[in-house]
Every structure is written in structure tokens, then in C-alpha cells.
Amino acid sequence: MTPTISLPTTAPDAPARLPALLELPNDTIKAWLAERGQPPMRAKQIRRWILQGRASAFDTMSDLPKGLREDLAANFTVFSTRVDKHLVAGDRTHKLLLRLADDKLIECVLIQDDGRHTACISTQVGCGMGCVFCASGLEGVARNLTVGEMLEQLILLRNLTRPDERLTHIVVMGMGEPLANLDSLIQALAVAGDPEGLGIGQRHVTISTVGLPAKIRQLADLGKQYHLAVSLHAPNDALRTQIVPTNEKTGIPEILAAADYFFEKTGRQVTYEYVVLGKMNDQAVHGRQLATLLRRRKAHVNLIPWNDVEGLQYRRPSDLDLNSFISELEKAGVSVKVRKRKGSEIDAACGQLRRQAEQVAKP
Ligand code: SAH
């Protein structure tokens, strides 16, 4: 029988590509199955194989009829992305460079530490925020990722854990601005949180944002228990606008007000991320200003010493500067930690691998 369901097609001159199952709504899959006389519960069975059974091909789905497995393989792929590069560091950090169906590249990372298995995922191809120190935004944003593409990153990373392990945490800290793709992100996280999906609790999910006040409020109103991390990076508007150009439109007070609203609504303490750029935002005076902003808030500060990005001239802070910055915060009673560096030998910081791959590809 010829299918009458309309499935996404590729451009006429592109090599034929089958649609990925995870990209399709459940109803479409059920209708496709019904045309073949298959019961609707098969849709759930197939999804369970991918989400929980670690299947990456239809022919391994052993409780499906053989004919159906062949039919599925002739019409769909399990995943829409292909692994272009897979790097593993000595500390078991894995990094994947994924090629999307339209040949664009994204990155995602698995960080394994103290019994935790954390997936760091991207939400966009590139980034439109233009933070001056970051590799992801150097070429701007190409497009938002789909729900399926975000889910796929989680599944592919989970499949790299050992069979007796599973993903325990998600950090939405890869390429892109998560709140600029909020609706799709929320749908992907819903599957991630579903016990029939990946079973990762909301409190184990951190969404990191450059600070889009209206979107932070929208997220707060969803009544979810996700953890919010706001990339502040500077304690005053003049310096922040220099480092995070979108700050010109928002300004720190509005971002803090939106973060306070998030805390009020969810009861979840907000983390402030602060990329430490040597001699730029790491002086004691900056520490004192930051302490003044945050001392009356229930907040936590995560300091991230800058990771080198080829072609950019910023510096990591000296130990002396970093320590006096930290002590200004501690004196004011602000909770602060320096983020541990993981997988540094495989360029685990976001956007770097893709950039190298694209530079090699350029004539
Ligand atoms: N768009 C989101 C997610 C960005 S990635 C946001 O702005 O929060 C997560 C964090 O890593 C952000 O705080 C980001 O500013 C930081 N980051 C990006 N590139 C970095 C680099 N080269 N060194 C250190 N931190 C970096």
C-alpha cells in the first residue's frame, strides 16, 4: 500500500533522506501504522525502544513483527542527526559533533562525575546573543533546533553511558540561547522528564540564559521546578553591555527583577553565572559591586574562568585576582563557587569543535 500520510520531504536536489521517527507527532505515526493494519500501541512500543531501550536501528526492536521492522526502516530513520565526531576525554567526558539533516553542525557533551551523568545540550544552531568571549555566537544564529533534535542529543548522550547507568541531570548550556527557543525546549524537556521517556526530574534540569526578562517570567509561570541560571558576567550595565551586547536593550535591573519573580513563583534559588575574564571583570571592585547586587537575594554565584577560544584575545584570571574577587563575595555572605573544568583536552566548552570543523570546511 502507498502511504497517504504526508511526511516531511527534502529539497529536490538534496540526497533523499527519510524522516526521523522522533520528529513526527505520535498521531502521524499511529496513522501510518493503521494503514498497515498495526495497532496504535505499536507507536508507544517503538518510542520506548528509542527512549528507553537504546535502540538505534529498527531491526533490533525484537518484539515488533519482522515485516513491520523492514517497513519502518524503508520509511524512517531512528535519528535525524549523524555523529560527525565523537571525542572522549580521560575523565569520561564525551563530546559529540552532530550533523543535522540540513548539514548544519551542533555540539553536545556528556559530563560524568561522582555518580552524576549530565547531558549538556544545544538549543540553536549558533547563537544570536553575541557575547564577545563565546565561540557559539561568532557567526550569529542560523535557526532554532526542533524538539526532536534536542531530544536526540539527550538520547545519543544517554546511549554513551554504561547499560547500568542513565542520565541523571541536564544542563541547557550548549550552543544557543535556550529562552529564544523556549516552546520547543519545554516540549523536549517534558519527554525528558516523563517516566516513560528519560525519567529526569525537573529539579535536575538547569536552563542557562543570557537574561531575557519576558521569557524568564514566562518560564516562571509554567510552574515547573527547573533550575534557572542567569549569565550575568558583569556587575554594572556599562561593563555588561561591553561583554554581553544584548544588555543594551535589557539592563541588569530588569533581569534581576525577572529572576526575583522566578524565585517567588518557583521557590528555586537562582544561580548567577559569571565568566571571569582576566583584568576585565575580575577586579575586587567588580566583586564588591556584584556583592551589593546579590547580597539581599537568595542567590548563588558560579564563576567560570574563561575557556580559551581560538582567535579571541581574552585571558583567564590570575589566581590572585580570582581569590580576591571570591573573598569580596564571601565577605558579603554571597554563596560562590568556581566551576570545575571538565574535558578540557577535547574542547568541551561550547561551540569550539563546530567552529574548528567549519573552518576546516571553508575553502
Ligand atoms: N545562552 C545561554 C547558554 C550559554 S552557554 C547563556 O547565555 O547562558 C553556558 C554558559 O557558558 C554561559 O554563561 C556562557 O556565557 C558561558 N560561556 C560561553 N563561552 C564560554 C567560554 N569560552 N568560557 C567560559 N564560559 C563560557
Side-chain angles (χ1 to χ4, degrees), residues 123-357:
T123 53
Q124 297 183 309
V125 179
C127 184
M129 299 300 124
C131 301
V132 295
F133 56 84
C134 175
S136 296
L138 290 173
E139 317 271 340
V141 62
R143 69 168 172 88
N144 279 343
L145 296 185
T146 64
V147 177
E149 285 165 343
M150 286 185 265
L151 211 48
E152 242 177 84
Q153 296 174 63
L154 293 171
I155 295 168
L156 292 170
L157 293 172
R158 187 277 316 275
N159 292 354
L160 296 173
T161 61
R162 289 198 283 256
D164 60 332
E165 297 169 340
R166 58 179 201 88
L167 283 187
T168 58
H169 293 75
I170 300 173
V171 294
V172 189
M173 294 190 180
M175 287 168 44
E177 169 49 42
L179 297 194
N181 191 11
L182 183 58
D183 294 343
S184 296
L185 174 64
I186 292 301
Q187 289 178 58
L189 291 178
V191 181
D194 188 343
E196 293 191 350
L198 298 174
I200 303 166
Q202 289 172 14
R203 299 177 72 88
H204 288 188
V205 175
T206 301
I207 302 175
S208 176
T209 176
V210 73
L212 306 179
K215 293 286 178 182
I216 291 175
R217 287 171 191 271
Q218 193 186 329
L219 180 64
D221 288 336
L222 291 175
K224 305 280 186 201
Q225 282 290 296
Y226 300 132
H227 178 190
L228 179 72
V230 174
S231 294
L232 202 59
H233 304 334
N236 63 67
D237 275 326
L239 184 57
R240 190 169 193 268
T241 298
Q242 215 180 310
I243 299 173
V244 181
T246 59
N247 189 62
E248 185 156 21
K249 286 180 279 175
T250 41
I252 293 173
E254 259 208 64
I255 294 172
L256 293 181
D260 290 346
Y261 179 79
F262 182 90
F263 176 60
E264 261 166 50
K265 278 281 193 168
T266 64
R268 297 283 274 143
Q269 173 179 293
V270 174
T271 292
Y272 290 91
E273 293 167 282
Y274 195 102
V275 169
V276 194
L277 303 163
K279 304 290 176 213
M280 196 166 171
N281 65 355
D282 66 341
Q283 301 299 294
V285 58
H286 300 128
R288 281 194 292 280
Q289 288 174 1
L290 187 62
T292 306
L293 286 182
L294 299 181
R295 69 193 339 150
R296 277 182 204 85
R297 298 185 150 88
K298 196 168 161 37
H300 173 75
V301 175
N302 226 333
L303 298 176
I304 321 171
W306 185 61
N307 286 311
D308 295 283
V309 176
E310 208 191 307
L312 297 184
Q313 302 302 319
Y314 303 97
R315 279 185 275 175
R316 292 171 71 76
S318 68
D319 287 347
L320 196 68
D321 283 338
L322 189 60
N323 288 333
S324 57
F325 189 94
I326 291 170
S327 76
E328 292 296 339
L329 291 171
E330 285 177 341
K331 262 193 285 178
V334 177
S335 150
V336 55
K337 265 208 187 105
V338 179
R339 187 181 295 166
K340 272 194 266 175
R341 212 166 178 208
K342 304 287 292 176
S344 52
E345 75 266 34
I346 57 167
D347 271 343
C350 55
Q352 312 225 39
L353 196 60
R354 162 182 173 258
R355 198 151 162 262
Q356 285 167 10

